[in-house]
Amino acid sequence: MVELKRSNTWCVPSFDCEPVNKPPLKRTDNTDLDKTLFDGSFTQSNFKKRKSETSLSKLLQACEPQRASELAISKQKQNEIQNWLQCKALKGQPSMLILSGPSGCGKSAAIKLLAKENGFDVIEWITPVDPAEDENKRIMRQGDRFEDHLIRATRYHSVLSDCSKQLLLVKDIPNVYHEDCKGFFTLLEKYFQIGREPVIFVCTETGNSRLLHTLFSPDTREKLGIDLINMYAATPTAMKNVLKRVSSTLNSIAGDMLHVSQRHIDEILSNNIGDVRSAVLNLIFISLRVPEQRLKSECGVREETLGLLHGIGRVTFPRKEPHGNSSKFVHDPEEIAACFQSQSVVFVQFLQENYLNTIRTIEEAAIASDILSLADVLNSEWRDRNLSKVALSYSIRGLMLTNEKPVTGWNPVRKPRDDHSNIRRCLVTAETRCYEVIIKSTPKEKTETLDKEDNEETIIEED
């Protein structure tokens, strides 16, 4: 009787994997595994030695500040954040902070770096795009997912972190709360009841942003004890220091792809509006190494980089040259608009501050004011981003055509007023209080106000 040899090949895998009868792998020692995972290739020093880095995300990551002295915000604002982290953000107690300021001024970078120095593990909320299901296979609302994350992150610790303290950073509030302010207020009340870790909201203020006033009104902040720190745009000195530090880093890790020179830094500083993120991105793109033949054949050669002040001067003081029986502009309005598409709102604000310096007649001033008023309305429409480009082109063309005989003379360009956002907040507050008085007033008061308005209308008609 022949003895059959046993075989373990009775189960044929359905996937294209390794053979079943492959000899077992030899287990490596933990020390060897640690050496392979944490070798020198992942350190920052060896990362900077490479000169062929082409990933934009890695370039931006390498440009992030590593010390508090490298931050673009002022020492005063750094001390305010440090005091809040040390005195208000206590373990086991709920606390909340709002960082507000213009885009790209360094809010997120500052809070991440200072929180790390104070021993906090930063957990950042990113609004998910894909839908999720709960335990009952039902699609969860975006607000429910945010509430679940807010409560869990501020009540339970992560097993993957070594820090004893953690902090929740929210830069992107779900859109559902923009219309449901009461639901957001209820969520904040629930957090202050059962939350145990600090939360920081980053609110970016733009010309048409009302997020800070609608979701974090002064009454809400006072009732719940929410702290507020207002940030300002980066100063020219801080921007210059940041670009100098970034230039050496970019040249060391991506020298084969780009070359940052002092001329490039000066061009970025001439268009400085206090946005560090935009300045770094523009510095990367303007310093790319592109062959000259490719530039001439495909892209064309750009003759000059137009600065912000020069652009304002070309619009407010348009020059013409004879062209046959008529005349044409020396500087093309479309080229001026193309240079400032990323700064359309800021450019229109500069025009609003300086357009009266060179206008000669009151009729031209009235037409110019109407043009800029319509451009302001187009910029306030946040549902379509292309309208800002339309407003920029419309305001540039309109002012250049309206100002037929500009006033000659030396006219310095003035900076727009910084209290533009404060005026907008005051108008919103006044409008809200007006509606509250009308809604909460008694029927007798409503009839009296209506009678007063009718009497005023009749008096005006008689006059």
Side-chain angles (χ1 to χ4, degrees):
M1 187 173 182
V2 181
E3 183 179 358
L4 296 177
K5 186 178 180 180
R6 289 188 179 184
S7 176
N8 294 327
T9 60
W10 62 272
C11 182
V12 180
S14 300
F15 304 98
D16 189 12
C17 302
E18 299 177 353
V20 178
N21 292 331
K22 186 177 180 180
L25 295 175
K26 184 179 179 181
R27 292 187 62 184
T28 58
D29 194 5
N30 291 333
T31 58
D32 298 335
L33 183 62
D34 295 338
K35 290 181 180 179
T36 57
L37 288 178
F38 302 100
D39 58 352
S41 61
F42 289 93
T43 60
Q44 187 177 7
S45 59
N46 289 338
F47 177 74
K48 289 187 176 182
K49 290 181 181 179
R50 296 184 295 173
K51 292 188 177 182
S52 59
E53 186 60 54
T54 58
S55 175
L56 180 60
S57 61
K58 291 185 179 180
L59 292 178
L60 296 177
Q61 183 180 1
C63 295
E64 292 181 355
Q66 303 297 327
R67 296 183 296 272
S69 59
E70 298 177 355
L71 293 173
I73 63 175
S74 62
K75 293 291 184 180
Q76 179 184 358
K77 296 301 177 181
Q78 293 184 26
N79 294 332
E80 291 182 10
I81 298 175
Q82 289 274 17
N83 293 333
W84 188 86
L85 291 174
Q86 296 173 2
C87 302
K88 296 293 185 65
L90 302 177
K91 184 179 179 182
Q93 297 181 7
S95 58
M96 190 170 292
L97 173 67
I98 302 172
L99 281 180
S100 65
S103 176
C105 66
K107 302 183 293 296
S108 302
I111 195 62
K112 289 180 180 179
L113 181 60
L114 297 177
K116 184 179 179 181
E117 291 183 353
N118 286 273
F120 284 93
D121 182 21
V122 179
I123 303 174
E124 184 176 352
W125 159 262
I126 299 176
T127 302
V129 179
D130 299 330
E133 296 179 352
D134 58 4
E135 61 274 7
N136 297 323
K137 302 297 181 180
R138 292 179 298 184
I139 301 297
M140 295 181 63
R141 293 173 58 250
Q142 197 178 69
D144 296 337
R145 298 177 68 178
F146 177 71
E147 179 179 354
D148 181 71
H149 180 81
L150 177 65
I151 301 303
R152 287 178 180 271
T154 57
R155 189 171 178 84
Y156 307 105
H157 286 275
S158 174
V159 296
L160 302 177
S161 176
D162 297 334
C163 299
S164 60
K165 299 182 293 183
Q166 62 184 13
L167 181 148
L168 177 61
L169 179 63
V170 181
K171 296 193 296 183
D172 186 14
I173 301 177
N175 296 330
V176 66
Y177 291 118
H178 293 189
E179 301 295 335
D180 187 13
C181 300
K182 294 182 178 179
F184 187 75
F185 181 74
T186 304
L187 175 62
L188 295 182
E189 287 184 331
K190 184 177 180 181
Y191 158 75
F192 277 98
Q193 292 175 0
I194 61 177
R196 295 178 181 175
E197 299 294 342
V199 179
I200 296 180
F201 286 93
V202 178
C203 296
T204 301
E205 290 188 0
T206 57
N208 54 356
S209 176
R210 298 185 180 181
L211 182 64
L212 183 61
H213 178 79
T214 54
L215 297 184
F216 301 100
S217 61
D219 296 336
T220 302
R221 298 200 304 266
E222 183 179 359
K223 182 177 180 180
L224 299 178
I226 302 175
D227 298 308
L228 173 65
I229 298 179
N230 290 317
M231 312 285 285
Y232 304 104
T235 60
T237 304
M239 184 70 70
K240 184 177 181 179
N241 295 332
V242 170
L243 293 183
K244 282 186 176 181
R245 176 181 59 83
V246 167
S247 62
S248 60
T249 303
L250 293 176
N251 288 330
S252 62
I253 67 176
D256 297 341
M257 184 181 68
L258 51 86
H259 174 67
V260 183
S261 62
Q262 186 62 37
R263 180 176 61 85
H264 296 150
I265 296 176
D266 294 338
E267 289 184 7
I268 299 300
L269 291 175
S270 64
N271 298 327
N272 175 31
I273 58 174
D275 192 339
V276 180
R277 186 189 305 110
S278 177
V280 174
L281 288 174
N282 291 333
L283 184 64
I284 292 174
F285 289 120
I286 202 176
S287 306
L288 291 174
R289 295 179 181 268
V290 183
E292 295 182 359
Q293 295 180 355
R294 185 178 178 184
L295 277 175
K296 293 180 180 179
S297 60
E298 298 179 2
C299 304
V301 181
R302 187 175 180 180
E303 296 181 357
E304 60 178 345
T305 301
L306 188 61
L308 180 62
L309 302 183
H310 291 87
I312 298 298
R314 291 182 180 182
V315 176
T316 56
F317 191 84
R319 293 191 299 169
K320 298 180 181 180
E321 60 183 2
H323 182 70
N325 297 330
S326 61
S327 61
K328 68 175 183 179
F329 292 112
V330 176
H331 306 290
D332 189 5
E334 192 64 28
E335 292 181 359
I336 299 175
C339 293
F340 299 98
Q341 286 187 359
S342 61
Q343 310 172 20
S344 57
V345 178
V346 177
F347 194 84
V348 173
Q349 291 178 357
F350 267 89
L351 291 179
Q352 291 174 350
E353 191 69 25
N354 298 276
Y355 76 100
L356 289 177
N357 294 338
T358 58
I359 290 182
R360 190 176 297 271
T361 62
I362 190 66
E363 291 80 8
E364 293 178 352
I367 298 173
S369 63
D370 292 338
I371 292 172
L372 293 176
S373 298
L374 181 56
D376 196 10
V377 172
L378 294 176
N379 282 328
S380 63
E381 182 56 49
W382 53 270
R383 288 175 292 183
D384 191 356
R385 297 181 179 179
N386 294 323
L387 287 180
S388 61
K389 300 178 182 179
V390 175
L392 177 65
S393 178
Y394 174 73
S395 58
I396 291 175
R397 292 175 180 273
L399 290 182
M400 294 179 70
L401 289 173
T402 303
N403 198 359
E404 297 182 357
K405 296 181 180 181
V407 178
T408 59
W410 184 72
N411 293 309
V413 178
R414 296 195 302 267
K415 184 181 178 181
R417 293 174 295 176
D418 295 334
D419 57 351
H420 181 75
S421 58
N422 296 330
I423 294 174
R424 187 179 294 274
R425 290 196 199 100
C426 294
L427 292 176
V428 172
T429 305
E431 183 181 358
T432 304
R433 290 179 179 176
C434 180
Y435 284 124
E436 288 179 353
V437 170
I438 295 175
I439 294 172
K440 295 180 180 180
S441 59
T442 59
K444 293 183 179 180
E445 294 177 352
K446 290 183 179 180
T447 54
E448 291 178 358
T449 53
L450 293 175
D451 293 338
K452 289 181 180 179
E453 292 178 357
D454 294 337
N455 294 331
E456 290 177 358
E457 291 180 357
T458 52
I459 292 172
I460 293 172
E461 292 177 357
E462 290 177 358
D463 292 341

